[in-house]
Amino acid sequence: MKWKSLFEPINIRNLTLPNRVMMGSMHLGIEGIPEKEDAMIAFYAERAGENGPGLMVTGGISVSPEGDGGHHFLGFYRDQDLKTMNRLTTSVHKEGGRIAAQLFHAGRYAYSELTGIPSVAPSPLRSPIHKEAPTELSELDILNLLESYAEAGRKAKEVGFDAVEIMGSEGYLINQFLSPTTNKRTDQWGGSFEKRTRFPLAVLQAVRKAVGDDYPVIYRLSGMDLVPHSTTHEETLAFAKLVEENDADLLNIGIGWHESTTPTISMMVPRAGFIQIALDIKEEVAIPVIGSNRINDPVLADELLQKLDMVSMARPFLADSNLLRKSKNQSLDQINTCIACNQACLDHAFEGKAVSCLVNPRAGREHKWVYKKANTLKKILVIGGGVAGLEAARSHAELGHTVVLYEASEAIGGQFNLARRIPIKKEFDETVRYYTTELKRLGVTVNLNHKPSTEELLEHSPDLVVLATGVVPRKPVISGVERAVSYPEVLSGAVAVGKKVIIIGAGGIGCDLSHYLIEKGEHEILMLRRNGRMGEGLGKTTKWAMLQDLKKHGVKFRTNLHYEEITEEGLVITDSTTGKKEHIEADTVVLAAGQESNLPEEYNRLTDSGIQVAVIGGARLAGELDAKRAIYEGAKIAFEPQSIQTKQHQKDGA
């Protein structure tokens, strides 16, 4: 296709950006850790190459000690961190890239139990997602903070950052001052709209004075807080004009606070689902405006750039560091698209883990998982075309090995081919498309509808056989279980489902199945599990939204029970608390009670024949479906062949 605006340059003060894409701020969970410094720098350096994003923004860098968001933050107040930042900017510039520092203060979102310093905020109001109430900032505290922001701006410029971004969105400190929900002050820093804008504008003024007139200053502005009784739409538009009047160069529009109960960046949110607020702000100001949130497609980005000045794509660069290079080369089908699953990025960040990517586990590991031809080229046979096998085939082929893949069914994709039938998981189509393209590009031989015997595999004299044979649904021991149907039968459309549906199993698969049935028609859905909570195993940043949607559609849930019998009319259970038996009527009972490893015993003979064997994905460890671990293991055995365990397969953290 012909790009209209994506690769048009834009000037920001003395800085020229070669394209209209910003890699938005992402906390990597490795900042401030000396032994992870190489990993952090390699992450940014790889994305800074030719046809990388016009500008990258770091994860938040704290302007003062109490402003850290938790573990692993860089701080402008630490000399050692300044040396790290200087090394970072030097590496990015060496690759031809441009990078901005985000000036950050968490406010009441700081984790005082991790930092050891009490959190602070405009008013002593506890966030619903935190345990402790913050300390109210005094007048002197506020003045000191303004100087901290100014000093951070000065230092950012000194260590080589090309610009700074003031974090005034997502419910952090500056946003807390602006919102009447969190600012209950009665002095000059709170109360009326004018007074609530005073601190944010004072920060902007202090930073501008510190960095000078020739240096770009971006303001990350909250377009919608999505929390009750917060800043109004009219106030947001008025504030945007005030930010412009106070000498900001770019407005980067953020959406939603972390405590919001409205999904903003998960897969269930439509692409560019909140872009209208950025368009509204663009109508009010003359300075450039950046649109963000769920923009993962360069074609969509180019369309949005007909009305906006830039777009922010953060997680898409986790999924594919070469997204723009592939776009410029018209190789769109080679892009590893972000599917907004959050499982290895945001979920990891909120758990204090290093950030990576479900569809690209190499993210965050670029320093050690290097794309270069292997010294010794091997013949690799991969059994199973689910995502574990696909990634094993792709990674080995990328390193120059000869790879043959066998898939017993008529198509690659495995469990993803079921998941992509679920309305909120249509993004999984992109991953299957990506692997289809990659295997063809890399010359992997793909044999469909074929389950090879041990003898056939041995005839090829392979150096390594990868067993990625996946899982089969677990059939629980319940009287009359033959009357039930399995979740693959339902998702594939092989069986019809009646109006009243009981789902045995309320983990991730049960929740997905409920979403599928909701979309298909008017069903009365009851999810059951012997014990535990609904949705256990789902990611922290997506679970609440998925369960909220199920409840909104009338899905019911019960736990603490025993299954007695599946009958023609439904299911007999015993309540574990009361001991009372109960018959629940249902037209269809669906089994979604986990999986078992699908590892044919005949392949044990491969090891006996002296062939190196790697067992990965669900074949190694069934449990709840875990695409993150499966893809990670597929990549790891290619980049770290010494990690392969043939005789004993231990659980390896992803």
Side-chain angles (χ1 to χ4, degrees):
M1 65 167 294
K2 184 176 181 180
W3 301 108
K4 299 174 183 176
S5 302
L6 198 65
F7 293 99
E8 287 295 315
I10 182 171
N11 295 319
I12 313 296
R13 300 252 169 181
N14 65 341
L15 181 65
T16 299
L17 307 181
N19 59 61
R20 299 299 179 109
V21 179
M22 167 192 282
M23 187 179 89
S25 173
M26 293 179 285
H27 189 62
L28 302 180
I30 55 178
E31 293 89 344
I33 308 174
E35 58 269 27
K36 297 290 186 180
E37 186 173 305
D38 288 348
M40 182 190 72
I41 291 173
F43 173 86
Y44 285 104
E46 179 167 305
R47 288 155 179 79
E50 185 179 0
N51 292 322
L55 181 67
M56 300 184 293
V57 183
T58 66
I61 304 177
S62 303
V63 300
S64 58
E66 80 288 346
D68 285 357
H71 285 308
H72 316 322
F73 269 69
L74 289 171
F76 283 108
Y77 52 88
R78 285 190 290 259
D79 289 341
Q80 182 56 48
D81 287 358
L82 293 173
K83 295 177 182 177
T84 299
M85 293 180 222
N86 184 247
R87 187 180 166 214
L88 169 62
T89 59
T90 300
S91 297
V92 167
H93 293 153
K94 183 179 179 181
E95 298 296 329
R98 294 142 299 279
I99 187 166
Q102 187 182 83
L103 311 186
F104 177 89
H105 194 296
R108 73 173 188 167
Y109 279 170
Y111 289 89
S112 56
E113 65 269 28
L114 300 179
T115 64
I117 307 172
S119 59
V120 299
S123 301
L125 303 173
R126 183 183 66 84
S127 160
I129 59 175
H130 283 66
K131 297 177 181 178
E132 300 177 8
T135 300
E136 181 171 291
L137 289 161
S138 68
E139 173 83 14
L140 181 59
D141 292 333
I142 291 173
L143 296 176
N144 286 336
L145 264 177
L146 293 175
E147 180 52 38
S148 294
Y149 272 100
E151 185 67 10
R154 279 192 289 270
K155 289 178 177 177
K157 188 175 181 180
E158 288 173 4
V159 299
F161 285 107
D162 300 286
V164 291
E165 177 179 78
I166 297 171
M167 175 41 116
S169 184
E170 269 75 15
Y172 292 116
L173 179 69
I174 295 175
N175 208 173
Q176 292 162 25
F177 266 96
L178 186 63
S179 171
T181 300
T182 45
N183 187 345
K184 304 296 184 181
R185 302 177 73 97
T186 57
D187 61 4
Q188 64 171 323
W189 303 102
S192 67
F193 171 68
E194 179 187 1
K195 290 181 178 179
R196 284 185 277 115
T197 68
R198 187 161 288 161
F199 181 75
L201 296 177
V203 169
L204 176 55
Q205 293 162 0
V207 170
R208 169 55 71 199
K209 183 177 179 181
V211 299
D213 292 335
D214 63 340
Y215 194 75
V217 176
I218 308 161
Y219 192 95
R220 173 81 169 173
L221 185 148
S222 180
M224 301 174 74
D225 296 342
L226 298 176
V227 294
H229 315 299
S230 196
T231 311
T232 67
H233 181 65
E234 292 73 24
E235 288 174 335
T236 297
L237 298 180
F239 181 64
K241 288 190 278 191
L242 290 172
V243 172
E244 176 184 31
E245 291 169 6
N246 281 272
D247 230 10
D249 299 301
L250 274 170
L251 285 177
N252 185 15
I253 311 304
I255 302 292
W257 290 18
H258 292 308
E259 65 199 68
S260 169
T261 58
T262 301
T264 58
I265 53 176
S266 66
M267 194 185 303
M268 62 196 307
V269 177
R271 293 182 179 184
F274 292 93
I275 204 67
Q276 186 58 49
I277 181 59
L279 297 174
D280 291 347
I281 290 173
K282 176 63 180 171
E283 292 293 317
E284 300 293 327
V285 299
I287 59 174
V289 174
I290 306 171
S292 66
N293 281 63
R294 285 287 282 124
I295 304 171
N296 64 348
D297 173 21
V299 176
L300 171 61
D302 196 50
E303 292 174 2
L304 296 174
L305 288 170
Q306 305 315 300
K307 297 181 179 180
L308 294 169
D309 302 284
M310 294 185 70
V311 294
S312 175
M313 302 171 75
R315 293 173 301 164
F317 285 102
L318 280 174
D320 197 327
S321 60
N322 291 311
L323 185 155
L324 286 181
R325 177 182 62 79
K326 293 175 181 178
S327 300
K328 195 161 190 177
N329 291 341
Q330 302 296 327
S331 302
L332 299 181
D333 57 346
Q334 293 180 19
I335 293 173
N336 194 2
T337 302
C338 168
I339 61 174
C341 67
N342 295 354
Q343 291 182 37
C345 51
L346 290 176
D347 285 351
H348 278 206
F350 284 111
E351 293 167 6
K353 299 177 181 178
V355 163
S356 187
C357 177
L358 180 145
V359 298
N360 176 28
R362 195 172 158 268
R365 299 180 175 96
E366 293 88 353
H367 65 301
K368 61 178 182 178
W369 288 7
V370 180
Y371 281 139
K372 63 178 181 180
K373 296 299 180 185
N375 294 327
T376 302
L377 298 183
K378 300 178 180 180
K379 186 168 190 178
I380 314 294
L381 304 183
V382 180
I383 319 303
V387 291
L390 292 172
E391 181 56 34
R394 190 204 68 81
S395 291
H396 278 100
E398 192 75 74
L399 298 178
H401 302 295
T402 299
V403 182
V404 179
L405 182 141
Y406 298 90
E407 167 54 41
S409 71
E410 62 184 12
I412 64 170
Q415 294 290 322
F416 264 41
N417 286 329
L418 296 178
R420 61 203 284 212
R421 294 174 179 269
I422 298 159
I424 61 172
K425 292 192 171 181
K426 289 299 292 179
E427 292 284 9
F428 281 46
D429 288 347
E430 301 286 2
T431 304
V432 176
R433 180 266 309 153
Y434 166 73
Y435 278 121
T436 301
T437 302
E438 283 295 277
L439 297 192
K440 182 177 180 180
R441 179 181 70 85
L442 294 167
V444 173
T445 300
V446 178
N447 296 298
L448 299 176
N449 295 309
H450 188 60
K451 179 183 175 183
S453 65
T454 299
E455 288 73 19
E456 181 181 353
L457 296 175
L458 291 174
E459 287 175 3
H460 288 280
S461 301
D463 297 291
L464 171 67
V465 174
V466 179
L467 299 180
T469 46
V471 297
V472 292
R474 186 175 71 85
K475 184 175 286 189
V477 180
I478 306 172
S479 176
V481 71
E482 68 279 358
R483 297 187 178 98
V485 299
S486 68
Y487 72 87
E489 290 177 305
V490 176
L491 292 176
S492 65
V495 298
V497 176
K499 181 177 178 62
K500 291 184 178 180
V501 181
I502 290 176
I503 298 176
I504 294 179
I509 297 170
C511 291
D512 282 348
L513 187 58
S514 294
H515 279 108
Y516 173 82
L517 293 174
I518 288 168
E519 183 74 13
K520 288 295 179 181
E522 293 293 328
H523 295 285
E524 297 175 15
I525 303 169
L526 173 62
M527 298 175 66
L528 303 177
R529 67 182 309 163
R530 286 193 173 96
N531 52 66
R533 297 180 178 180
M534 182 177 177
E536 283 187 7
L538 292 173
K540 181 177 181 179
T541 60
T542 53
K543 175 182 176 179
W544 63 271
M546 291 185 70
L547 298 186
Q548 178 177 271
D549 189 60
L550 292 179
K551 291 173 183 176
K552 182 181 74 174
H553 285 91
V555 175
K556 293 181 171 56
F557 169 68
R558 289 182 63 176
T559 187
N560 297 322
L561 51 88
H562 293 287
Y563 305 117
E564 302 294 342
E565 182 183 7
I566 299 173
T567 70
E568 294 288 351
E569 294 78 28
L571 175 68
V572 179
I573 64 168
T574 297
D575 188 292
S576 300
T577 304
T578 65
K580 181 181 177 181
K581 279 192 177 182
E582 179 182 350
H583 185 274
I584 307 173
E585 291 186 2
D587 301 308
T588 310
V589 177
V590 186
L591 302 177
Q595 301 78 34
E596 295 174 344
S597 172
N598 180 32
L599 188 58
E601 289 186 9
E602 70 162 297
Y603 290 151
N604 291 336
R605 292 161 45 206
L606 291 166
T607 303
D608 298 336
S609 301
I611 301 296
Q612 187 178 34
V613 177
V615 185
I616 62 173
R620 185 179 77 85
L621 185 66
E624 188 76 16
L625 295 177
D626 191 345
K628 178 181 71 171
R629 177 177 59 81
I631 296 175
Y632 166 77
E633 290 177 355
K636 184 176 182 180
I637 60 171
F639 288 105
E640 300 179 25
Q642 71 278 8
S643 69
I644 297 173
Q645 299 178 11
T646 299
K647 292 292 185 183
Q648 184 179 8
H649 305 290
Q650 301 292 338
K651 185 174 180 180
D652 185 12

